[in-house]
Amino acid sequence: MSVASLRRATRESVSGLPREFWWLWTSTLVNRLGAFVATFMALYLTVDRGYSASYAGLVAALHGLGGVVSSIGAGVLTDRLGRRPTMLVAQISTALSVALLGFMTEPLSIAAVAFLVGMASNASRPAVQAMMADIVEPEDRVRAFALNYWAINLGFALSSVGAGFVAEYSYLAGFLGEAVLTLTCAVLVFLKLPESRPERADGADAAADEPAVSLGTVLRDGRFMGVVSLSFLISLIFMQAHVGLPVAMGQVGFSSSDFGIAMAVNGVLIVALQIPVTRFIEHRDPQKLLIISALLAGYGFGLTAFAGSVAVYSLTVIVWSLAEIVNAPTQMGLVVRLSPLHGRGRYQGVYSLSWAVAALAAPLLAGTVIDRFGADWLWAGCAALGTVAALGYWLLMRGLPEPVVPVRVPKPQEAASVEQPTEPEAVERAV
């Protein structure tokens, strides 16, 4: 591909999206640049504070439990209060709780504040995803979600390197740095992002408006809950990159730096390929894409059973990284497609719950399987889950109606600005 072609492809990948999306994208990038707690919590507790690995695991579980609790509540608040207020409350709460965590010294207080951090940091996700669906046209949503996912991984990759140096100097500086960057996100939201929640019709139009959406509505939506269940299976597979893989590599004599090299492949691939791959897949059949991504994820981790060197481990990472690149924007597009206009917050909250529960269950599941049966059974289980998920997507999406793309009606001031034809011109066109 020539330089000119590459420039044209890049320009087409980012063009046509509203200004509000790019402020939201910038907020996401800044947020992930400050992802210190999620990356270094275990090292902080075991190396800096001297606590046991089991206590570090307990704190990680409580952090995940906080995310489980907040997913539903944040989804409801997103619909009731609005996207912007929910994000502001979540980000300010995250900044304050992260800063507080850096000053905690007692085991009980650390665990309690870690739970609060998990609640606060997960609470903005339904609001961010709902706002993105509000402000981006339906035909551009897969591309928008892919760009946002790219920002998440780019920010995480950069923060992992920078925060590592910060941690060598002072863990407290890392906590405070995350707090400052999270507050920066809140400022961006406050200054640059207007509320995007769709307003319900009043009076005569209210009858034509969609019915009220409650949590019961979401839970009774069989097809959507099927997507949530499949998302949970896919999440369990991907979580093994941070849970089962380092443990399995350590058991056969590989060092932490070996694991870091293998995992670096994941970040590099996502940053390099997310945008071009999304250009290739954004208008293709989502059913086929989700089936393929589920199989790549399951069998990518399944192939880990045959790895005996860092190079082979890296090859397996390439396989499931491609699954991640395809699955993330496609599945988010499906979630929005199935969500009613005035219930996007609740639907996004329940969808986020699938990842939060997987983050809580994956460490327990991986540890139990590895201890009792060995790592090879874990990788075989991943292959089985990927197969089940692929079959589930095939069944779930049969007969799914095509998305309805709404026709944009010009605003009164826009309509007034359109030049009206003169009477002769009108007659000529009629003829």
Side-chain angles (χ1 to χ4, degrees):
M1 179 180 287
S2 65
V3 175
S5 299
L6 184 61
R7 288 178 178 175
R8 183 172 60 255
T10 302
R11 184 170 58 252
E12 291 174 355
S13 297
V14 301
S15 64
L17 296 171
R19 180 181 302 176
E20 292 82 2
F21 166 80
W22 289 111
W23 284 116
L24 193 60
W25 183 91
T26 302
S27 174
T28 298
L29 178 62
V30 173
N31 195 326
R32 298 309 297 171
L33 285 172
F36 184 84
V37 171
T39 308
F40 290 95
M41 174 62 79
L43 287 175
Y44 167 70
L45 294 175
T46 55
V47 176
D48 190 68
R49 290 295 183 181
Y51 292 114
S52 65
S54 59
Y55 173 75
L58 173 64
V59 172
L62 286 172
H63 184 274
L65 180 61
V68 172
V69 172
S70 68
S71 293
I72 299 297
V76 174
L77 290 177
T78 296
D79 283 337
R80 288 189 175 180
L81 293 182
R83 286 64 160 137
R84 187 169 176 264
T86 303
M87 279 191 280
L88 287 172
V89 170
Q91 290 168 351
I92 292 173
S93 300
T94 300
L96 295 176
S97 58
V98 166
L100 181 62
L101 183 60
F103 292 99
M104 295 296 101
T105 57
E106 297 299 323
L108 185 60
S109 62
I110 291 175
V113 177
F115 174 77
L116 295 177
V117 171
M119 285 186 64
S121 60
N122 196 65
S124 63
R125 292 180 183 178
V128 169
Q129 293 162 354
M131 178 174 280
M132 200 168 298
D134 295 338
I135 64 180
V136 175
E137 296 296 331
E139 64 271 18
D140 294 326
R141 282 175 185 156
V142 170
R143 181 161 55 101
F145 285 125
L147 287 168
N148 193 64
Y149 193 70
W150 184 79
I152 290 172
N153 284 277
L154 177 62
F156 183 79
L158 294 175
S159 71
S160 298
V161 176
F165 290 106
V166 172
E168 291 184 2
Y169 168 72
S170 169
Y171 278 93
L172 177 59
F175 286 111
L176 296 178
E178 177 169 348
V180 170
L181 286 172
T182 307
L183 280 177
T184 303
C185 292
V187 172
L188 282 175
V189 170
F190 180 76
L191 294 178
K192 297 296 184 179
L193 289 175
E195 177 56 54
S196 66
R197 180 182 59 173
E199 295 296 334
R200 284 189 174 273
D202 295 324
D205 294 333
D209 206 5
E210 66 183 39
V213 178
S214 65
L215 282 177
T217 307
V218 183
L219 298 177
R220 290 190 298 270
D221 188 336
R223 195 190 294 268
F224 179 77
M225 292 308 297
V227 172
V228 173
S229 300
L230 294 175
S231 173
F232 172 71
L233 296 183
I234 295 294
S235 303
L236 280 179
I237 297 173
F238 284 133
M239 290 293 176
Q240 299 313 317
H242 307 284
V243 179
L245 186 58
V247 173
M249 290 184 69
Q251 283 187 342
V252 293
F254 289 97
S255 66
S256 58
S257 61
D258 293 329
F259 169 69
I261 292 172
M263 283 301 296
V265 174
N266 174 253
V268 170
L269 278 178
I270 291 177
V271 171
L273 297 181
Q274 184 71 71
I275 294 177
V277 169
T278 300
R279 278 179 50 79
F280 177 75
I281 68 172
E282 65 176 322
H283 297 302
R284 298 181 185 274
D285 183 0
Q287 182 190 50
K288 293 179 181 178
L289 293 175
L290 290 171
I291 291 172
I292 292 171
S293 66
L295 293 174
L296 286 175
Y299 288 94
F301 279 96
L303 290 172
T304 308
F306 303 99
S309 66
V310 175
V312 178
Y313 276 112
S314 298
L315 287 175
T316 66
V317 172
I318 290 174
V319 176
W320 57 257
S321 295
L322 290 174
E324 188 177 1
I325 290 170
V326 172
N327 181 271
T330 306
Q331 186 159 255
M332 278 304 308
L334 177 61
V335 169
V336 174
R337 183 173 167 182
L338 295 176
S339 305
L341 181 64
H342 298 291
R344 282 174 179 162
R346 289 175 173 84
Y347 272 71
Q348 293 289 353
V350 173
Y351 172 71
S352 297
L353 186 64
S354 65
W355 285 88
V357 174
L360 183 61
L364 303 176
L365 179 64
T368 300
V369 172
I370 290 175
D371 288 342
R372 292 190 177 184
F373 307 105
D376 287 352
W377 280 95
L378 177 64
W379 308 131
C382 287
L385 287 178
T387 304
V388 171
L391 178 61
Y393 282 123
W394 176 73
L395 292 172
L396 187 73
M397 298 187 67
R398 289 189 306 171
L400 182 66
E402 291 297 320
V404 177
V405 179
V407 178
R408 183 177 180 273
V409 179
K411 297 179 181 179
Q413 60 269 28
E414 293 175 339
S417 64
V418 177
E419 184 178 355
Q420 300 296 323
T422 62
E423 185 174 347
E425 289 175 330
V427 173
E428 182 179 355
R429 292 181 187 180
V431 175

